[in-house]
Amino acid sequence: MTLSLSANDLACRRGDRVLFRGLSLALGPGDVCHVTGANGIGKTSLLRILGGLLAPFAGTVSVEGSMALLDERLALDPDMPLGKALGFWARIDGVEPATLESSCGRLSLGDLLEVPVRYLSTGQRKRAALARLLGQQTPIWLLDEPLSGLDQPSQALVAQLVAEHSAAGGISVVASHQELAVEGRIYFALAEFVA
Amino acid sequence: MIGALLRRDLGRLFPFAGSGAALPLLFFLAVAMLYPFAVGPDPSLLAKTGGGVVWIAALLAAILPLDRLVQEDIDLGMFDQLKLRGASEEWVMAVRLLAHWLSFGPLLVLATFPAAALLNLEGETLRLLLIGLLAGTPGLAAIGLMIAALTASLRAGAALSGLLLIPLALPILIFGAGALARGDIASLGFAGAISLALVAMTPFAAGAAIRAAREG
């Protein structure tokens, strides 16, 4: 099966409001899709629908390949040292300690592994979540605001990671207000589908 | 994956592992210690009612860590991440039920010995109490987890927990604690059966509750 992520005629309802409808999307290996739109337009909901975490109001999603999600929720135990909290996911994902170490090094988390997660700054948290994402080694990335809270060098690093993921044949769907400096990204304006 | 999950759950819930995790055990012993002071030191009265007090203390110990059981992991996005890795909510909840029981059940049975000394319980009564607690605590753990999952996404969850607890806990108490009054081991079989039914039901109920919380 070749890698693919597609949505057909999706609609999303939150409460009594339909956020968007008639949304279709088809992504294949190497695609980077940058979802844009104002606050509250449904970017996060779209990502959660694609990830199978939220049932669409209408329409279907079909996925070939495993998915990883990065959102504002860390999924790292706040009381644990960062290294142990990442170690939990490494055991779940079957990641070698060496691989985890190298991705932590890349995200400049090496010195923070002994620090409890709750003491980390916003940017450090985001980088910790990225380390979890890299460890997962899945072909489809769903990134919800991956750049928020990051400084310039880290933003450039995220763009580079997405570019490398794409070059390796992976799919990325990125919801962000900020510019993502990746060659060949596809813009997807959610405003066109507002109900 | 199940091993890693169980390790994490136990690490969070086991006594002395983190903030407030030893509370159920201390609470249980505190009730046993204070009860003779509250009703007076009459040995026959203590022997007659002590077993029931131990049961109530066990029930309360099972629901003390409710707010740590499910809510925190929803806020952290743990269940979302596990779902994306193909772990069903039912499995995750089954593992958590086991961890929850391990974190208080066996210790409570052990703590029953000092509690029994304080409450003048011995011989046949102590035996019925110990067997009853072994049969009943898995059910009490299941009730705790089910309530925690059902109320995790509600703002007035704590108030609702108390209301949900009463009907769910009644059958186990009737047969489990009731066995002490009648001196009848057969009704412990009923307590065990109810306990098992609750254990079987909880992963599905709690899993459905977590999925429903996502939509909220």
Side-chain angles (χ1 to χ4, degrees), chain B:
Chain B
M1 170 175 307
I2 287 169
L5 269 180
L6 187 63
R7 251 174 81 175
R8 169 173 181 271
D9 287 357
L10 275 177
R12 288 176 66 251
L13 296 169
F14 211 69
F16 320 112
S19 51
L23 204 60
L25 191 64
L26 295 174
F27 184 83
F28 179 81
L29 283 172
V31 169
M33 250 179 260
L34 292 173
Y35 183 69
F37 291 97
V39 301
D42 175 15
S44 67
L45 179 67
L46 284 180
K48 209 169 164 189
T49 58
V53 171
V54 171
W55 266 96
I56 294 289
L59 171 63
L60 295 178
I63 61 161
L64 263 184
L66 274 197
D67 55 331
R68 303 173 53 88
L69 274 177
V70 176
Q71 171 80 59
E72 283 180 0
D73 277 3
I74 288 185
D75 296 343
L76 281 176
M78 277 288 171
F79 298 121
D80 292 351
Q81 292 294 336
L82 287 167
K83 163 94 174 181
L84 282 161
R85 287 159 173 83
S88 72
E89 290 83 1
E90 284 79 6
W91 262 116
V92 176
M93 284 294 104
V95 171
R96 183 140 313 173
L97 175 56
L98 178 61
H100 178 36
W101 181 76
L102 284 174
S103 73
F104 79 93
L107 284 166
L108 223 62
V109 171
L110 283 178
T112 301
F113 287 101
L118 288 162
L119 297 167
N120 193 30
L121 305 170
E122 47 202 5
E124 181 65 9
T125 314
L126 180 57
R127 196 170 71 96
L128 284 178
L129 185 58
L130 287 172
I131 298 175
L133 283 178
L134 273 178
T137 43
L140 299 182
I143 291 171
L145 183 59
M146 208 182 324
I147 292 178
L150 286 170
T151 57
S153 59
L154 304 175
R155 253 167 296 144
L160 190 61
S161 314
L163 281 176
L164 278 170
L165 175 69
I166 298 167
L168 287 171
L170 263 183
I172 291 192
L173 283 183
I174 287 174
F175 291 108
L180 297 167
R182 292 186 293 276
D184 167 21
I185 198 160
S187 76
L188 289 183
F190 276 110
I194 295 162
S195 193
L196 276 181
L198 283 166
V199 167
M201 197 170 98
T202 292
F204 298 99
I210 288 169
R211 275 195 296 274
R214 270 196 199 115
E215 303 280 333

Side-chain angles (χ1 to χ4, degrees), chain A residues 112-159:
Chain A
L112 300 169
L113 294 178
E114 300 298 322
V115 179
V117 172
R118 66 173 186 279
Y119 292 137
L120 298 182
S121 75
T122 312
Q124 288 166 342
R125 278 159 199 264
K126 194 62 104 184
R127 280 186 276 141
L130 282 163
R132 189 197 70 218
L133 176 89
L134 287 181
Q136 214 175 332
Q137 293 169 322
T138 52
I140 303 176
W141 283 2
L142 305 172
L143 311 179
D144 191 5
E145 299 292 352
L147 302 174
S148 70
L150 289 179
D151 54 17
Q152 287 295 340
S154 304
Q155 290 192 10
L157 179 61
V158 172

